[in-house]
Amino acid sequence: MTDDLRPIKPPRGVGVLHDDGRWVGGLQDAWVRWPSGEWRASVAYSVVNEWGQDRHLRSLLAERVRLPV
């Protein structure tokens, strides 16, 4: 493990702000430090659209991820 990766085991449930402005449920498995020095959340989530269901594996800014209420 490097100083640039902080795993979350087991992954935790989070709310994720999708690109369309909706908050959706997802899982966060780590915090990752980018070369710029910022920490980003490693998340997986799915959204339903007119073509079906899309799965996303992304690294997002902290303000786009929140713990469930």
Side-chain angles (χ1 to χ4, degrees), residues 8-17 23-31 41-46 62 64-69:
I8 298 172
K9 293 184 182 180
R12 64 182 176 183
V14 293
V16 178
L17 182 59
W23 284 94
V24 296
L27 290 174
Q28 180 186 10
D29 66 354
W31 286 103
S42 171
V43 297
Y45 66 96
S46 295
R64 292 189 60 183
V65 177
R66 65 182 178 195
L67 294 176
V69 188

Side-chain angles (χ1 to χ4, degrees), residues 1-44:
M1 182 172 76
T2 70
D3 292 336
D4 295 331
L5 177 66
R6 295 191 180 151
I8 298 172
K9 293 184 182 180
R12 64 182 176 183
V14 293
V16 178
L17 182 59
H18 185 55
D19 297 340
D20 65 5
R22 286 185 291 165
W23 284 94
V24 296
L27 290 174
Q28 180 186 10
D29 66 354
W31 286 103
V32 181
R33 186 177 10 220
W34 278 44
S36 62
E38 68 187 354
W39 285 94
R40 295 176 69 106
S42 171
V43 297

